[in-house]
Amino acid sequence: MNKITKWLKLTCEDTLLLISEKMDHSLPLSKRWRAGLHLAMCTVCREYQKQLWILSSLARCLGKAEGPTDPSFKLSLEARERLKQSLK
Amino acid sequence: MDKPEKLDSNMWLDNYGDMMYRYTLVRVRDPDEAEEIVQVSLLAALQAKDSFQGRSSEKSWLFGILKHKIMDHFRAAKKHVSLDLSSDDPGDPYEKAYDHTGHRHSPSSSWNLDPESAAQNQQLVLALSTCLDKLPDKYRKVFIMREVEGLSSNEICNEFNIQPTNLWVILHRARNHLKKCLETQWLGK
């Protein structure tokens, strides 16, 4: 029984790696169960999971053609002129 | 039926130049390389102009070409530096946050953000861009391909000869470095 409990009980360190992995591929059933069990009991890991979802949605937004921009993201006048010349 | 869209190459630079440059710079970091990729893409578009059939908008067509050129850039870079995990790569920044049993010494702080609406905070999205610039090059590239470009794990592993388990470790570390950067520099944690 102790062995089963030990196998079922993941540490936070193990679980955080699985939370990240789950964003990249489908976890095998046994890992899903064990991570799910840990998450049900651990607020720290649940918050971490939420933070990775936020990170992912920020990254998607950053990658869009119309994503937010600041002055350093604009072509300089010189760069624009160089591009203009090369397209002639 | 809508009339197929026509291309107006004279206006490409004015209409899409900044947008294409920004899109590229987010992915490749170096301003000179970003400018070169935009240039190569626009030249390729000029050459392929006659094959445009108007099935997509001018903008989607140009960004399609740009995406290909950015991937070509990543492929060319892999010839010089492998993207697979090595012992020299920086470890997990939270490694010391666990005790010998794998449990955290202290709970991590809450971000107090809603995952659904966080991306509407433009300052936070730009903060991620600044944090991405601080990531080691390998971690940055892999994170960009997975989370910004949306490539699957399989596509990244096959294209860049990375072992799947190593890819997951790289992504885990990259996410933790980004998380820490956002927390210390932007969220005041």
Side-chain angles (χ1 to χ4, degrees), chain B residues 103-182:
Chain B
H103 291 283
R104 284 194 71 122
H105 289 303
S106 56
S108 68
S109 45
S110 166
W111 284 6
N112 295 323
L113 291 169
D114 173 25
E116 300 289 320
S117 57
Q120 286 162 16
N121 182 338
Q122 304 231 329
Q123 289 308 313
L124 199 57
V125 177
L126 289 173
L128 176 67
S129 170
T130 309
C131 287
L132 269 169
D133 284 349
K134 293 177 181 164
L135 268 189
D137 199 48
K138 182 188 289 182
Y139 293 178
R140 184 181 192 278
K141 276 184 184 144
V142 172
F143 181 85
I144 291 279
M145 281 188 282
R146 176 75 193 104
E147 295 275 30
V148 177
E149 212 51 65
L151 298 184
S152 70
S153 292
N154 278 346
E155 284 171 313
I156 299 171
C157 288
N158 293 338
E159 185 76 62
F160 295 93
N161 304 323
I162 306 177
Q163 291 296 317
T165 45
N166 288 351
L167 176 77
W168 303 327
V169 171
I170 293 173
L171 284 166
H172 180 55
R173 289 183 188 173
R175 288 177 181 126
N176 281 350
H177 278 281
L178 291 170
K179 179 173 127 57
K180 194 166 190 179
C181 173
L182 283 176

Side-chain angles (χ1 to χ4, degrees), chain A residues 16-77:
Chain A
L16 298 187
L17 184 59
L18 289 182
I19 291 169
S20 175
E21 258 191 65
K22 202 175 145 204
M23 301 189 69
D24 304 314
H25 74 116
S26 170
L27 294 178
L29 195 59
S30 67
K31 284 188 178 176
R32 274 210 310 271
W33 276 352
R34 293 161 74 199
L37 193 68
H38 183 101
L39 277 167
M41 298 180 297
C42 179
T43 50
V44 174
C45 289
R46 279 205 301 277
E47 177 62 25
Y48 179 85
Q49 178 167 254
K50 208 171 98 183
Q51 289 167 350
L52 290 203
W53 289 339
I54 292 172
L55 207 55
S56 193
S57 74
L58 295 179
R60 271 198 307 277
C61 182
L62 181 68
K64 284 182 188 164
E66 297 87 358
T69 191
D70 69 24
S72 68
F73 283 152
K74 288 203 166 129
L75 281 167
S76 64
L77 287 176

Side-chain angles (χ1 to χ4, degrees), chain B residues 10-25:
Chain B
N10 292 324
M11 295 305 291
W12 285 350
L13 203 52
D14 288 336
N15 290 345
Y16 310 112
D18 277 337
M19 215 189 276
M20 289 175 84
Y21 177 70
R22 179 206 163 278
Y23 186 90
T24 312
L25 195 58

